[in-house]
Amino acid sequence: MTTAGTARETTTRTGPGAARQHTLRERNLELVARAVYEVPEPLSRAGVASATGLARATVSTLVDQLVAAGLVRELPAVTGGRAGRPAVPLVPAPRSVVGLGLEVNVDYLGARVLDLTGEVVSEQVVPGALHDSDPTVVLRRLGALARDVSDGVAAAGMTVAGARLALPGLVDPRTGLLEVAPNLGWSSLDPVPLLGLGDLDVRIANEAKLAALAELAGGSDVAAPDSFIFVSGDVGIGAAIVVDRELFLGERGWNGEIGHVVVDPAGPRCSCGAFGCLEQYAGKEAMMRAAGLPPDSALSALVACLTESGTAGPAGGRAALPAGRALGSALADFVNLLDVSTIVLGGAYTELLPWLRADVVEVLADRVLSAPFVDLDVRAAQAGPQAALTGGARAVLQAVLADPAAWV
């Protein structure tokens, strides 16, 4: 996250729109909060002053306000072996203000609460078969799930700052409408009122894009690159494009629909109405059918089938999982168009990568024009299961960090 664009809010003007003194304070609160949150090691008040260029007295006052608001926590003072007042390290406050991530996917509903440290403090994930489901029924169930986890964290003294609802389809964040989710059978829908969450600030977003936000947050042994293509493989297949650690959204935020890239125009009809889409070859249900399993089988059943399909391990199981070449073909088009050399495979693909990698890499090498000159990196996602839930909760907390004055 960056603070670009905030400076214009503090420009002095005359007339009815003149900037007031508290506008400058709001900007400075954001600067101080970001200084605390966006460093690998805790800073003291003096360190925050140095990082922001603000006067120490100003920083001390603002830190006191952030601590009182439950956004920042003071750790025990350390002397550092030097004379003078001991430094008090500052860190994000745990279990105070929290964000709620919600998701409707084809085979589960989920709710996850994260605090400002990134810790999961509560979650519920409920399996289900939601193909061609009734959105009113499904969203009411998700609303009940959300109330359950929200009531639990509120009883523990935490405040839910808002929620993000992840959906697998084309969503318009400007209007709050879901335009279409082919695998759910939903279209032209205003989902937030159906949740029944009252005054809670709930906004919608695409599942793959929220999962990419979770990947950006890191927290694993392998840091996320600055630019990458994130692919979320499930029954449907979505993608997100990250450039210089920012989501590239396109004109309406509808990019990344890699599941509906045509792999074979003569292929089977897709739920979107077209023929030969990637989802018909590399979606989870398509992979189950290719392995001779019922389409609604658990992912663990597919992994077991692939493991048992040959004594040579992943190489022996590749014949039972032809999805890799189709996925590689669609990804090659993306790489040729976008010039992004790192591909992060999430969702079901994270576990299936040992059986997918060789085919994906081979097709990329054959079809990406720049392949002889760059190292194309295909890696597993690090954000964990149901990453969109984590990304949704983090998006709420990013909004808190962007406007901490609202909490002071």
Side-chain angles (χ1 to χ4, degrees), residues 255-269:
N255 62 2
E257 290 296 326
I258 192 173
H260 301 289
V261 169
V262 174
V263 174
D264 179 5
R269 183 182 286 275

Side-chain angles (χ1 to χ4, degrees), residues 214-224 245 382-383 394:
E215 191 70 18
L216 264 175
S220 66
D221 293 335
V222 181
R245 306 195 67 79
Q382 302 291 317
R394 286 190 178 278

Side-chain angles (χ1 to χ4, degrees), residues 155-317:
M158 294 172 251
T159 301
V160 180
R164 295 292 183 273
L165 170 60
L167 295 168
L170 295 184
V171 301
D172 190 339
R174 301 166 301 179
T175 63
L177 298 179
L178 170 69
E179 300 295 351
V180 63
N183 287 307
L184 292 175
W186 298 1
S187 62
S188 303
L189 179 70
D190 185 4
V192 172
L194 297 176
L195 293 169
L197 295 179
D199 295 333
L200 183 67
D201 179 24
V202 183
R203 305 180 191 184
I204 66 172
N206 172 265
E207 172 268 334
K209 292 177 175 58
L210 288 179
L213 285 181
E215 191 70 18
L216 264 175
S220 66
D221 293 335
V222 181
D226 289 342
S227 300
F228 59 93
I229 300 167
F230 181 90
V231 183
S232 178
D234 208 280
V235 175
I237 307 171
I241 302 158
V242 176
V243 179
D244 293 334
R245 306 195 67 79
E246 297 285 346
L247 279 175
F248 174 74
L249 297 176
E251 188 174 346
R252 287 171 292 270
W254 294 350
N255 62 2
E257 290 296 326
I258 192 173
H260 301 289
V261 169
V262 174
V263 174
D264 179 5
R269 183 182 286 275
C270 179
S271 60
C272 73
F275 290 88
C277 293
L278 176 64
E279 286 182 5
Q280 300 307 303
Y281 300 91
K284 189 167 73 173
E285 290 183 353
M287 291 188 288
M288 295 294 180
R289 288 191 292 267
L293 297 170
D296 59 351
S297 298
L299 184 62
S300 58
L302 179 57
V303 170
C305 178
L306 295 171
T307 303
E308 296 167 1
S309 63
T311 57

Side-chain angles (χ1 to χ4, degrees), residues 6 18-19 36 64 85 277 326 353 389:
T6 57
V36 172
D64 288 343
R85 179 179 299 177
C277 293
L353 188 55
L389 292 175

Side-chain angles (χ1 to χ4, degrees), residues 321-369:
L321 193 65
R325 297 197 66 82
L327 180 59
S329 175
L331 287 170
D333 292 342
F334 264 51
V335 175
N336 281 326
L337 287 168
L338 299 172
D339 185 29
V340 175
S341 58
T342 300
I343 297 163
V344 178
L345 297 182
Y349 293 152
T350 302
E351 289 190 54
L352 297 175
L353 188 55
W355 294 274
L356 295 171
R357 184 192 298 276
D359 284 337
V360 170
V361 170
E362 182 180 333
V363 175
L364 289 173
D366 287 343
R367 296 195 51 190
V368 173
L369 185 62

